[in-house]
Each structure stands twice: as structure tokens, then as C-alpha cells.
Amino acid sequence: MQRIINEPGEVVGDMLKGFLKAHREIVAATGNPRVLKYSGAPVSGKVGVVTGGGSGHKPAFVGYIGRNMLDAVAVGEVFSSPSAKAFLDAFKAADSGKGIACLYGNYAGDNLNVKMAVELAEEQGIRVKTVVANDDVPSAPPAERSKRRGVAGEVLMWKVGGAKAALGGDLDAVIQAAQKAIDNTRSIGIGLTPCTIPAVGHPNFAIAPGKMEVGIGHHGEPGTRVEDLKPARDMAKMMVETVLPDLPFRSGDRVATLVSGLGATPVMELYILYDTVEAELAKAGLRVRRSYVGNYFTSLEMMGATLTVMKLDDELETLIDLDAQSMGLTQFGR
Amino acid sequence: MQRIINEPGEVVGDMLKGFLKAHREIVAATGNPRVLKYSGAPVSGKVGVVTGGGSGHKPAFVGYIGRNMLDAVAVGEVFSSPSAKAFLDAFKAADSGKGIACLYGNYAGDNLNVKMAVELAEEQGIRVKTVVANDDVPSAPPAERSKRRGVAGEVLMWKVGGAKAALGGDLDAVIQAAQKAIDNTRSIGIGLTPCTIPAVGHPNFAIAPGKMEVGIGHHGEPGTRVEDLKPARDMAKMMVETVLPDLPFRSGDRVATLVSGLGATPVMELYILYDTVEAELAKAGLRVRRSYVGNYFTSLEMMGATLTVMKLDDELETLIDLDAQSMGLTQFGR
Amino acid sequence: MESFASERGEPILGALVAAIQARSGELSDLDGALGDGDHGINMAKGFGMCLEQLSARSYGLSEAFSTLGGVLLDEIGGAMGPLYGTFFRGLARASKGRERIDAELFGSMLEQAIAGVAALGGAKAGDKTLLDTLEPALAAYRRALSEGKPFSEALGELAFAAERGRDSTREMAAKVGRASRLGERSRGSVDAGAASACVILCALAASMRTLLEEEAT
Amino acid sequence: MESFASERGEPILGALVAAIQARSGELSDLDGALGDGDHGINMAKGFGMCLEQLSARSYGLSEAFSTLGGVLLDEIGGAMGPLYGTFFRGLARASKGRERIDAELFGSMLEQAIAGVAALGGAKAGDKTLLDTLEPALAAYRRALSEGKPFSEALGELAFAAERGRDSTREMAAKVGRASRLGERSRGSVDAGAASACVILCALAASMRTLLEEEAT
Ligand SMILES: Nc1ncnc2c1ncn2[C@@H]1O[C@H](COP(=O)(O)OP(=O)(O)O)[C@@H](O)[C@H]1O
Ligand SMILES: Nc1ncnc2c1ncn2[C@@H]1O[C@H](COP(=O)(O)OP(=O)(O)O)[C@@H](O)[C@H]1O
Ligand SMILES: [Mg+2]
Ligand SMILES: [Mg+2]
Ligand SMILES: [Mg+2]
Ligand SMILES: [Mg+2]
């Protein structure tokens, strides 16, 4: 295991210490070492936007803490949901009295821990509403959409929720916007090499050379099928063909796109993939209004990429376009 | 080779097509397919800031094209200097009549191609001055500093040069600021796994499991010595101990730091490294005014990291702090 | 009637933690086959933290379970943090203030613990989860008692049924949790949670039988 | 006196491109040992592009070299783009407008080409570069001519000395280029540029000797 770590069991704590040092201007510690918050949080008069999730996905989740983005994040072990207590403490760190929008991904652990945390929060008089991201198309058929995983589409959900709260939306408005965001978002991932959780010390699955996992999850959960590696242009077509009919997207739709690497794929290759993705979207009559390409939601040192497409209406486009400042996503407004 | 590519020989061209599509608002094509420019270039009344280099280092080099950053970039094959003609065409794309600051890295190919391009440019009435980055401490002893490679310190040199030009500095002022930037910058890299140039198809060197290359270059050039892998905190100490005495940095100095991954090292680990780096800098009495941590200058899918430290004076700090907008580095001003 | 003193938390917790730590790699590998490979390390971490918190003093069984449940809920997270947190807090609550643990009491401890897991997770037997270990094990335990078997023998039945329950998940297709997205591909490998539940029940049964024997002699 | 028609650009360029492409992997491996591993692929790409540009028409030797030099300079980059670009433009310039290539002319072509490389790169013999192939090869060629050997025999000496020159770089420590940062670690492996220069000189010598033989019969 070729790693830049100290004790394999302590990677999350060590990482958080370094993260806080590097981003003092925008991120602050809280009383719970597994909860970080925006240095300005709680922002008075603003709905608190919170998420949480396992570690190993940098910039997700703590990298999206910032101005017009997330107010607080609960941090789990590598690939493990944060505890209920961490979620609860994140709610507290973000709460200015206007309520908390907890926007998280659909995983057994997160569902359970958020559920317990929300109950505890309400006992303490903090109002929490949730949106559960389920943008990963291959993880369940359309009829069972509520079973689907949340993947890189979460980044766009956070962007939208964070912007809506920043523009003064109340709790219901923030929840509605974030729910609309994820309802209009579809993703798919392909995996080319596995990854190794430091404390485990060996890859938790294998991908034979020359093969790829289609529909893989960003924890290395096996995909829905194994295929021969093919040229990037064929990968892109297959990914677009999986994503578009599912919503469905229609000719004339405006969209935002996000192509994320899973960690170790050179960013050069993400652009090679995006070249065909955009060509295929154009063929389908979609108009790309904003495109993100890079390592936005990773899976340690896995090779592979995810494609996310979000259908925009005027509200979503305004919210996606708002300026934002965080380690993982900083943009000027249009 | 688990890759998201089409033809291995065409990765650079395919990547540039996708890059242009993804970043239309900030990057534009030129008549030479191997030259990209800032969409606003040439910016009238402003010195043109240009660089060039081989591909496979994303975000470097094209990712630093943008507002208050680079005006044009010459693009080479993977790990190969761009041609003299590409440098010349980049000068032309950036030239508003105020002259060109060509800020590049110290490699045989780049030196030769820039030299030829500068001669051709002057024949055509374009004034070009150059700064050659040589921040990589382990690549030559202090007495032969002019032989050292340019590595991730180039990013800070471009930031400074781009900001100076944006603030209205004339050619000599931009060159002076960029030269001061690099003269006050020192770097070191460690490599944990090799990388594979797509057209070659196999790794171009080996690192035995449990070993690391100290002083490696970001093209996979072997380092100055091979050591056993050690805990991140010991790597950080060794890196700081190599870099600080070389300038030398002194107690009380203000600095900017840059910890860059080489491509496949999870960003989590860069923060683990940074945690000790900052602690060691603090021990030495240095005050970190700005810290960049992430994949700023990579080497395809190599695992490893580089540390860059730049000593700031008032001018350099102002220039580093200026807002900037590019794919690889977007920041709001302070 | 067989029973043991509830103040003997240490040997039981010690054996439980040792069992989980010894099987940690195996549990992560099982999770890696269908999920994300973290099950064993997080279990081992949580159980180890609990032992550390309680070290340097003596404690009863209810306190041991309550501390373990609290650590899992507050510090560990994952799916197993709340599930096993609820499980051990159920065991703790049902035994709180009781001086001796007998067969009947342990039966209602298990019942409360397992009911909490089922209510929280919303899974049922056949979904390929830890419940496929816990529920048949409890049923076998109850059956043994109703057949008049003594406590220690019923614990043997509990452990035996737990192993069969764990193995029964091999051929199931997962209905909840990460593995559920694999559909048919999730068959052929034992569920990680079912395996850890088996480790837990077997360790509890073994250490309790030792205590029963000790007190009998 | 031996000579061949300068209009025979095709067989010479064809053999040259084929030789570089055949050795491309080997050259990249050599570069990988001390540098960044791209030497062979970039050479093969540039030489291939040149052949494509000239395909579907016939061309003389000077035009072939001039096109090759231009492609290397304009399209290929790297260290070898300008170095070999200068080299082939030197060969082209010195043979421009000449109807036949004889021993003397080829000698001055090489001289001009190598002088350009040395001036541009600032390296000298012993620095572990392509000059360690080029310079001794030229010297051997000159020596053969001064000893009165015929053109074809001198070409043989050229090739033989090129191989020895290439091999001589194995034990050198690099003074310029990427490998120079390796210091002592750069010993033990042949320089990639010295190896490609040897491929080029040997291919030129062989195809020219074939042409001389053809014209002699
Ligand atoms: N809703 C649920 N109800 C009961 N058990 C569940 C549920 N979801 C998951 N599990 C159990 O949790 C185990 C996975 O635990 P773990 O690996 O710690 O969590 P994670 O999936 O968050 O990585 C599964 O093997 C399964 O037995
Ligand atoms: N200044 C120089 N003068 C002469 N030859 C040089 C010089 N610098 C490098 N070389 C030659 O170039 C070769 C490397 O070429 P190549 O791999 O194409 O370039 P790069 O170093 O840009 O990857 C070296 O093996 C060496 O022979
Ligand atoms: Mg997990
Ligand atoms: Mg190169
Ligand atoms: Mg798991
Ligand atoms: Mg090279």
C-alpha cells in the first residue's frame, strides 16, 4: 500500500487537522472533532444547509463547506456514515433558528444515522427537513427509484440548496429547491481499478485488466455488469444513453453536466470523455449551460469516472450560477 | 492499461477538444490546434503572460489560462515540450503590443523551443522576455541552481506574473515580479508509484512496494534517492528540512505553501501531509499566509506529492491574493 | 436454575471484543464482496474504543452493553453503528438493575435488542442482513427453553442456529443496504452483518457458558 | 568517384522512418530509464507525419530532409524536435540544389547538421547526448575518406563508429537534459538520444550504400 498516511486507523482525524489548517479562512472546527462548519456559521437569518457522509470522497463532503454552500458537515470514517451524534452536532453548528436542510445521500448507514439525529434534534427544538439524493441510475430500476444511491449529483444538490438558502429561501423553499434539483438529476459511474481503504490494507474488489465495472458505486460497490474496456467515445455514449431516457431529458432541455473522476484517473481523460459526452448531448438536442469537469466526488484512488446531468429550469439555473466559495467548488457568478 | 482514451497517440488532441467545450466562457481556440488562449486575449494594454509545456500535468498548463492568470499556452505531447512554432503562436495569441512574459519550466526541450520561438517572435516585432522556473531543490545542488527543474512552483510564478500584468505592470515589471516569485520559491517531490504514458503503454519506471523516490520529477524522472516508505509526518519533516535551508527561509518570514498531489494520491492524504508540514513551518517560525492543497501540478496517475514554499514580501502577497479565475485556480480576492 | 452474577461484565465484554477483533479482516472481506469493505474495521474500532473507555475499573454487564451501544451510536456511524448501537442498548436496558442473569432474562434481553434493530432498519428475515442471524438464533433459544433445556444448553442452540442463520444468507439476494443494488449478483456470498452478528452471539454464548460453569463449581 | 542521384529521396526517407518506427519502443524504454519515456513515441510520430506529408508524390533528398526537419520543429517539440529539426534542416540546406550526392558532399552535410545541433543545445561530447554518437561517427567517416576509402566503405565506418559512440554513453554521467539531475545514478544505461542518433546514421548509411550499389551496376 503506497500511502501518505500515519496510522491507517487515524486517517480521518489526521486529514481533518490538515484540512482545518489549510482552509482557516472558510472552515472552522466545532466541539465535535467529527463536525466541521463554515467559518461564518450559523449565518444569522439563514437556513442551515448540512450534509454528512463517509470519508475518502474528497472534495466531498467537507470540501463543499463554504460561502453560499454548506454550513456544516458530519464526517464519517472512510466509506462509513457519520454517527447520529455527528449529524446532530452538525445540525447544531449550522442552526441560526431558521431550521436545517439536511441534504444527504441514500445509503443504509446515512439513512439510519440521520433518522436518529433528526429525532434527537427535534427533541431539542431544532427543525430539520431532509432531501435524500438518489441520482445513480444503474443502482435500481426506475420503479424503485427510492432505492437508488446518491452519487456525484449530490454536489449539484448542495450547490442548489446552498444557493437557495443564501438567497434567503426559508426551510421549505430550500428543501423544495434541493428536492427539485435531485429529481432532475441522473448519474452513472464506471470503474476501471479498485481502491484500498487504508485500515483494510488491500483492495476490496478486483477489476480484471481490460475490463470495467459499469454502474459502480463510489465506494467500490460492484457495478451492475462487467464489460470489456472500450474507447472513451463508446464509454461516453453508453453513459449518455443510460442517463437521458431515465428522466427523460428531451430535446430543447437546458442542462448542467458534471464529469467527475473517481480519484486516480488523470484529469486529461475526463476531458477526453467529456468531448464525446457533450457531442452526444448536443445530438439529443440538449443545451449545456454549465459543465463541471474534474475530481468533484472521488473514491480514494479508484480509476474511473461518473457522468451527472441535471435538467435546469430558470430557478435551478440561477442557483447553479450563483457565486460560491469552497475548497471543492469556487466560482464567480455570471 | 486501464484508461479512458480513444487512440493512445491522440490523447492530447482529444483532451483539448473536451477542455474547450467545458470551459467556453474562459478559454478559446486559436489557429494553432496546440495553442489555447484566454477568451479575452489579447487583453488590450496588458502584457501577455504565456507559458507552455508537455501534457499530462492537469491542471497545468492549460488549466491556468484565465482572468488574471495566463493569456495563452503552448501545448506539447504528453511529457514533451511544445514545438517552437506552438510557443511562437502562443506569443502571437497573447500579444496586445505590450510584450510577452514567457514564464516556463527549466527543461531541455522547453529551453530549446522557447529559444527558437523568441528569435522568430523578435523577427516579427514581438517583444518577449522569459523567466525560467527552477524551484525543484533536489534536482541540483545550490551552486548549480540554474540546472534545477521547474515543478509546482510554476503555479505560484504564473499566479504572480498573471496578477502583476492584470494590475497594469509593464513587461519589465511582470518579468521582475515573476523572477522574484521563483527566486523565492523552493519545492521537493516524492513519488510512490509510477505512471504510464498512454502511447507507451507501460510504466516508464518502477518503484518497489514499500519504497519511495525522493526528489522525483513530475515526469517520473527518477529521484535523487530511494527510501523506505515512512509515516506521512516523517515525509513532511524530510520535505520541509530539504526546502527551508535552501533559500534559506528564516524565522518570521511570511510564506505561501502549495502541496500538490501527483495525480492518483487521494486528496485526503495531501491534507494528512499538510498537517505536519504546517506544524514544521510554524516550528521554524514561518507564518503561512496562504495554503494551496490539491492536485495543482500532476503527473498522469502517479502517486506522490510535492511541497512548494514561497517567501512573500508585500508585493508577492498582494499578487498571490488577487482574485483569479481559471479551471485550475479560482479564488476571490481578500 | 442456572444463572450468573450480572456484575461479571468484564469477561463477557472482553471475550466479545476479542472475538470481533480477531474476525475483523474476514468481516471486511465479506463486506468488500458485496459492499464497501469497511464492516470489520469499523466494528473492531468501536468495540476497541468501548473497552478502552471502561478500562481501569470494573463494570457490570448492563453497563458494558450500554457503553458499547453508546460508543457505536456516537462515534462509529456506518450502518452498523445505529443497528448494533440499538442492539446493545436493548440488551443493556433489559438487564439494567438486575443482579443475576438467568435464561428467561437473557431471552427478553435478546428480544428487546432484536426488536429495536428490526424497527430501526425496517428489514425482515430473508433480506440478507444481520436479522437473518439474530431472529433464527433467538427462535432456537426460545425453543430450547420451552423444551425444558437448561440455560447453558439453550446458549449452545443459540450459537448453533446463529451459524446456520449466517450461512443461510449465502444464497439470498439482498433486499436492503448497499448490496441490494447488486440484485442477483449479491448471491453467493454471506452477508457481512449476518456474519458479525454470528460472531457476537457465539462469543456471548461461549463466555456466558463459562460463567455458568464457574458459578456451578 | 561513387555518388548517387539526389532525387532518390524516397528510398532513403522510407528506410529512415521504418528504422525509427521499428525501434520506437526500445528508445522510449531507454528514455524511461533516465528521463520521461517519451523519446521513441515522439520520434516515431514525427517521422511518420513527415512520410504522410510527402506521400503521393516523389521528392528529392534535400526536400525529404527539409520536410522532416520542419515537421520536427513545428509539430513535435520535446528536446528532440528542435535538435533533430536543426539536424535535418542542416542536411537539407547543405544538399539543396545539388544533383548528386558524393562522399565529400555528404561529409559537409553531416558537418553542418551536427554543428547546428551543438550550437543549439550547447552540449559537447561526453555530456551523454546524441552528440556522443554524432561526433565520433563524423570523425570516423572523415578519417576513412582521408585514408582514401571509397564512399560506401566510409559509410560503413560511420555506422560502426555510431554504434560505438552510442555504447560509450552507457558509462557516462549525464551533464545536460533531464538525466543530468540523476548525477551518478544516470550511469549504466545508454542515452536515448545517442541511441536514436545511431538508428538514424545507420539507416542513412545502409540505404545510401544500397543506392550506390544500384547505380554502380
Ligand atoms: N436497513 C437495514 N436493516 C438491517 N441491517 C442492515 C440494514 N442495512 C444494512 N444492514 C446490515 O449492515 C451491514 C453493513 O454494515 P456496514 O458495512 O458497517 O455499513 P455500510 O453499509 O454503511 O458500510 C450489512 O451487511 C447488513 O447486514
Ligand atoms: N542540450 C542538449 N543538447 C543535446 N542533446 C540534448 C540536450 N538535451 C537533451 N538532449 C538529448 O535529448 C534526449 C531526450 O530527448 P526527448 O526524450 O525527446 O526529450 P525530453 O527530454 O523533452 O523528453 C536525451 O537523451 C539527450 O540525448
Ligand atoms: Mg461503509
Ligand atoms: Mg519529454
Ligand atoms: Mg460496509
Ligand atoms: Mg524524453
Side-chain angles (χ1 to χ4, degrees), chain B residues 79-80, chain D residues 36 38 178:
Chain B
F79 293 174
S80 277
Chain D
D36 58 358
D38 62 353
R178 291 183 201 277

Side-chain angles (χ1 to χ4, degrees), chain A residues 9 77 79-81 83-85 106-107 109 112-113 115 139 147 149 197 200 202 204 213 219 221-225, chain C residues 29 32-33 35-38 41-42 45 73-79 82-83 119-121 175 177-178 181-182 185:
Chain A
E77 282 301 308
F79 291 175
S80 277
S81 169
S83 70
K85 180 156 192 304
N106 192 22
Y107 294 92
L112 296 172
N113 287 295
K115 184 174 162 182
S139 55
K147 280 198 170 182
R149 295 183 283 246
I197 299 178
V200 174
H202 58 82
N204 58 5
E213 285 268 356
H219 305 90
E221 304 98 324
T224 47
R225 61 185 192 275
Chain C
D29 289 349
D36 58 358
D38 61 354
I41 41 167
N42 287 341
K45 188 162 186 178
L73 275 171
D74 290 355
E75 311 281 350
I76 293 303
L83 290 169
L120 176 67
K175 300 271 162 41
R178 289 182 205 278
R181 284 84 178 218
L182 286 179
R185 276 178 79 185

Side-chain angles (χ1 to χ4, degrees), chain A residues 47-174:
Chain A
V47 169
V49 184
V50 172
T51 194
S55 294
H57 302 297
K58 275 265 151 351
F61 296 76
V62 291
Y64 297 109
I65 293 173
R67 188 169 60 78
N68 297 354
M69 296 287 289
L70 301 172
D71 293 292
V73 166
V75 180
E77 282 301 308
V78 174
F79 291 175
S80 277
S81 169
S83 70
K85 180 156 192 304
F87 273 110
L88 175 64
D89 289 341
F91 298 161
K92 290 184 188 168
D95 184 42
S96 75
K98 295 288 171 185
I100 297 295
C102 177
L103 315 177
Y104 71 100
N106 192 22
Y107 294 92
D110 297 291
N111 283 320
L112 296 172
N113 287 295
V114 168
K115 184 174 162 182
M116 299 188 76
V118 170
E119 282 167 18
L120 296 167
E122 312 231 294
E123 283 168 22
Q124 302 183 24
I126 302 178
R127 224 160 28 113
V128 184
K129 295 197 172 185
T130 61
V131 177
V132 188
N134 55 356
D135 51 307
D136 186 39
V137 174
S139 55
E144 296 173 61
R145 194 162 84 82
S146 66
K147 280 198 170 182
R148 288 179 177 171
R149 295 183 283 246
V151 286
E154 294 182 37
V155 178
L156 301 181
M157 170 181 73
W158 298 324
K159 177 77 185 72
V160 163
K164 189 73 189 180
L167 293 177
D170 66 13
L171 181 54
D172 285 330
V174 173

